[in-house]
Amino acid sequence: MTMIPNAPDRSALEQEQFLKILSREEALARFEASLFPRAIPSEQRKLGDALGTALAEDITAPIDVPPFDRSNVDGFAVRSSDLSAAGEGTPVRLALNGETIHCGTAPKLQVAVGTATPIATGGPLPRGADAVVMVEHTQPAGADAIEVRRAVSPGQFVSYAGSDIARGEALLRAGTIIGSREIGMLAACGIAEVKVARKPRVAVISTGDELVQPGEALAPAAIYDTNGAIVAAAIDENGGDAVFLGAIPDDEARLEAAMRRALADCDMLVLSGGTSKGAGDLSHRIIGRLGQPGIIAHGVALKPGKPLCLAVCDGKPVVILPGFPTSAMFTFHDMIVPALRRMAGLPPRSDAKVSATVPVRITSELGRTEFVMVSLVDGKDGLIAYPSGKGSGAITSFAQADGFLRIDALADQMPAGAEAEVTLFTPHVRVPDLVIVGSHCTGLDLVTAPLAHAGLVVRSIAVGSLGGLAAAKRGECDLAPIHLFDDKSETYNAPYLAEGLELVPGWRRMQGIVFRKDDKRFEGLGAKEAVAAALADPACIMVNRNQGAGTRILIDRLLAGARPEGYWNQPRSHNAVAAAIAQHRADWGMTIAPVAHAVGLGFIPLAEEHYDFALVTARKQRPAVQAFLDALGSDEARTALERAGFRPA
């Protein structure tokens, strides 16, 4: 008789991996206490290779800069005492000496009493001279003399030796980040090489059977390895020298061998994936065999980022980031960057921050510090911070957001209308020229492309038709794309407009029932008959749309109160509906014709919906809004929309 092994005790597995969830502050303190203080290795670098590194020692100036007294203007080197009586009515005549002093020309003749020597900007001041008179303040007096009609003071238009940098003074301090200005100072002193903190070599390994490197074919259930590239880039941005070692499948022996090689060759190891409670996660178990003291923290009260694992193996930091890209990058920047920059001899990051109003309520998990990515737009009374809401697995969240706000571990929400401090991802934020909030459509990208190419910043935030209308009423956007059907008037969009909004016709999209072409249950049926057939089969699973979407309103009308299997599966886009059906996670749903055809699904037309724009009248004359309206009505946009399967209004 075959014995079926018992399933592993899930509580024991969790106990093994998350021995204790630490607060962010305690985990960070433990990690840094295990790493520092430590000596920072240094190396000599030529100036051309030193950009972005940190000086390892103080540098004193070996020479004066400038190394001699020099002229600041084109003019004549003179003795100021010769011109003490000069004025408009009493010009002083000076004889010209027989040389002209250019940059790089050493003077040979002394400026005697009653004489002057022509001199160019940057030329060394000759013996006897103590001032320079500008050429504009002189008049020729024959071929070998000039007249001067104003007095000069000693030192006028002269830079003295060492007036910029004095020999022996502290030029740059240890820890200074070498930029173009610092390189200029070093070059001015004749310094060709400097001792800098050596960039720590950081090995990067992605883990997981599902990972495929960009450029390779994507197998079923596989995903491209985004963490490897983004983590390596973030390491380089913060003073490290990233060494990407590729993606290692969930094979304990292979992964341990790769980790040992990485620690032998590099100063730090960063892995992504393999930190949660799945039985296939191996990295944290291997760490215990790589050196002391081993794991410092495994499980941090962060959202996103709870599974973060911090370890130190014989003095070298080992970090296992969560597998989801947003979780990985938040935890990397918040928890790992401070240690990496210290190892590189760099100062802590100085993040720019702004204050903004949160327009919607953001729920949070009590007991975990939560970071929420936001997009910034201009509102009536200042900046508005819209949460991205894409989740920790979203690649675009980081790239499209302007920054993030923090919800304290002791709070379970951030209420609508709250003032929040937003930490920016870049030193400066450019508020978008055009803000579009509402339902997204691929046709919108076609219309706004010319605006982006012309240098305008266009921000499109997908919150659904009703969410866009609410934003427009609050004055938080220029346009709200909507496709809302009104049962009473049996018309689209216009009945939903409030005071201060006007309708701009967009284009027409054919909505319909979508299914796999080999599904016989839907062959030859109309839309209403297809829905009836689906409802009659308990095994037929639907995929719905999110509340607030115009498509959801249309689906609910068809279902007439029915709640079939899959009703509560509510993705936020047409593409997600099509993907669920194509991948056999659902059997039917509703989407638009271009999306269905792009995925190769069957499509039963139901109704041509109106995808229009609620325009905030008070913003109509803004240049970016006018540019959008011009683009929407252009022949180029109409052609592009028709080519994509839409019918321009």
Side-chain angles (χ1 to χ4, degrees), residues 148-199:
V148 183
R149 296 180 179 270
R150 64 173 64 188
V152 298
S153 57
Q156 183 168 298
F157 299 126
V158 175
S159 288
Y160 289 103
S163 59
D164 188 1
I165 302 170
R167 183 196 302 267
E169 80 169 88
L171 187 62
L172 295 169
R173 294 294 186 186
T176 301
I177 308 302
I178 300 177
S180 57
R181 295 175 298 176
E182 288 73 23
I183 285 178
M185 294 173 65
L186 294 166
C189 291
I191 298 173
E193 291 186 353
V194 288
K195 182 181 287 189
V196 300
R198 179 175 63 80
K199 291 186 174 184

Side-chain angles (χ1 to χ4, degrees), residues 209-257:
D209 294 332
E210 75 279 13
L211 298 181
V212 175
Q213 291 305 306
E216 299 177 6
L218 198 62
I223 59 172
Y224 284 117
D225 175 19
T226 58
N227 281 359
I230 194 171
V231 170
I235 288 168
D236 289 338
E237 285 178 342
N238 287 281
D241 180 13
V243 182
F244 181 53
L245 301 180
I248 308 296
D250 290 326
D251 179 291
E252 189 161 353
R254 289 182 60 183
L255 184 56
E256 181 171 349

Side-chain angles (χ1 to χ4, degrees), residues 284-368:
H284 75 283
R285 293 201 289 270
I286 297 172
I287 287 177
R289 305 193 289 267
L290 298 182
Q292 295 301 317
I295 292 178
I296 304 298
H298 189 195
V300 182
L302 286 173
K303 184 180 180 182
K306 176 184 175 183
L308 175 68
C309 181
L310 304 174
V312 177
C313 297
D314 295 337
K316 295 186 177 183
V318 178
V319 177
I320 310 178
L321 301 173
F324 275 151
T326 300
S327 295
M329 291 316 297
F330 260 124
T331 50
F332 180 82
H333 282 281
D334 186 55
M335 304 289 289
I336 313 308
V337 163
L340 174 60
R341 293 181 70 88
R342 284 186 69 177
M343 291 175 64
L346 301 178
R349 286 174 60 99
S350 179
D351 294 320
K353 299 181 179 182
V354 296
S355 180
T357 302
V358 179
V360 294
R361 177 175 176 266
I362 305 174
T363 58
S364 183
E365 184 177 335
L366 196 65
R368 291 170 66 183

Side-chain angles (χ1 to χ4, degrees), residues 266-293:
C266 298
D267 305 298
M268 182 177 187
L269 170 60
V270 178
L271 302 97
S272 65
T275 68
S276 292
K277 292 180 279 188
D281 293 333
L282 308 169
S283 309
H284 75 283
R285 293 201 289 270
I286 297 172
I287 287 177
R289 305 193 289 267
L290 298 182
Q292 295 301 317

